[in-house]
Amino acid sequence: MRNSPRMILTVLMSFFLLGASAVFAAEDQLNEILQEQTKARQEEKARELKRQQQLENLKREQDLNRQQHQLDQIKQQKSEPTQPQQPEAAQTQRQLDQLKNDEQLQRLQNDQQLERIQRERDPVRQRQQIDEFQRQQRIDSLQDQIRRNQTQQDLDRLRQQQNVR
């Protein structure tokens, strides 16, 4: 009977260790599931960011095309075979061309940045990069809008000058 308490203790320790290992295994599985969910959310966030970027690019392109069309109309109405293009129209055309080039370059840089963010393995770092990218996107969007508004004002001024003549 002396072995009985020792045996009971051994059996209890065995159950405890088995139970503890089962808890650790379950915790590991839970951590893996949580990491997979976090990764899936981050990937979805990156895809959503790319969709937003594409929509923003489309909007910018439409604005630039509209402005180009307006400028072309002004040039066409102003131009006579013997009269050279007005300097204001040429300047506005250069501004518009520069806007198009800058926005195309920005689009390519944004695509590269998004690809780098999507390749980031660390979810916390990826989240930080997404937040920083979105912040920079808002700044760039506001700056682009200011430049488009300036070009639009120049177009409106040209149109007014044309109507006065």
Side-chain angles (χ1 to χ4, degrees):
M1 285 282 194
R2 285 173 147 191
N3 290 339
S4 216
R6 195 174 220 189
M7 187 181 274
I8 292 173
L9 184 59
T10 303
V11 170
L12 286 175
M13 288 297 285
S14 296
F15 281 130
F16 174 73
L17 291 174
L18 284 174
S21 65
V23 168
F24 290 132
E27 186 177 343
D28 287 345
Q29 283 181 327
L30 179 61
N31 284 336
E32 284 181 34
I33 291 169
L34 290 174
Q35 287 176 346
E36 288 174 12
Q37 287 176 338
T38 299
K39 184 178 179 183
R41 280 194 299 273
Q42 295 297 78
E43 288 172 354
E44 180 57 32
K45 184 70 174 174
R47 284 191 298 272
E48 177 61 28
L49 195 55
K50 189 164 186 120
R51 283 190 294 269
Q52 288 173 353
Q53 181 63 38
Q54 289 170 339
L55 286 173
E56 183 68 24
N57 290 342
L58 181 59
K59 180 181 175 243
R60 289 175 183 167
E61 192 173 314
Q62 288 173 336
D63 284 347
L64 290 172
N65 287 338
R66 180 185 47 75
Q67 288 178 343
Q68 182 65 58
H69 181 71
Q70 289 174 348
L71 182 59
D72 290 344
Q73 285 179 329
I74 290 169
K75 286 180 188 176
Q76 190 176 31
Q77 291 171 358
K78 276 188 172 184
S79 67
E80 295 175 10
T82 59
Q83 185 181 29
Q85 184 176 339
Q86 295 285 338
E88 298 92 4
Q91 175 63 27
T92 303
Q93 182 65 59
R94 282 191 294 277
Q95 285 176 324
L96 198 54
D97 290 344
Q98 185 63 44
L99 264 174
K100 288 177 183 178
N101 290 337
D102 290 348
E103 289 186 6
Q104 184 178 17
L105 176 62
Q106 188 64 42
R107 239 186 329 270
L108 292 172
Q109 290 171 340
N110 288 342
D111 287 345
Q112 288 177 339
Q113 181 66 21
L114 280 172
E115 287 174 12
R116 280 193 297 272
I117 289 171
Q118 287 175 325
R119 286 193 304 265
E120 178 61 51
R121 299 273 185 231
D122 181 10
V124 173
R125 184 155 163 71
Q126 187 182 46
R127 179 74 226 159
Q128 291 170 339
Q129 290 176 351
I130 287 172
D131 291 344
E132 175 61 24
F133 183 79
Q134 287 176 318
R135 186 188 67 75
Q136 189 59 48
Q137 285 300 102
R138 288 189 294 271
I139 291 169
D140 292 345
S141 181
L142 291 172
Q143 289 172 339
D144 290 344
Q145 186 62 44
I146 289 168
R147 292 173 60 198
R148 283 193 306 273
N149 287 345
Q150 180 61 45
T151 304
Q152 185 63 50
Q153 288 173 355
D154 292 345
L155 285 169
D156 293 343
R157 189 172 39 257
L158 281 172
R159 186 174 284 123
Q160 285 177 341
Q161 289 173 356
Q162 182 182 10
N163 291 336
V164 169
R165 293 178 188 173

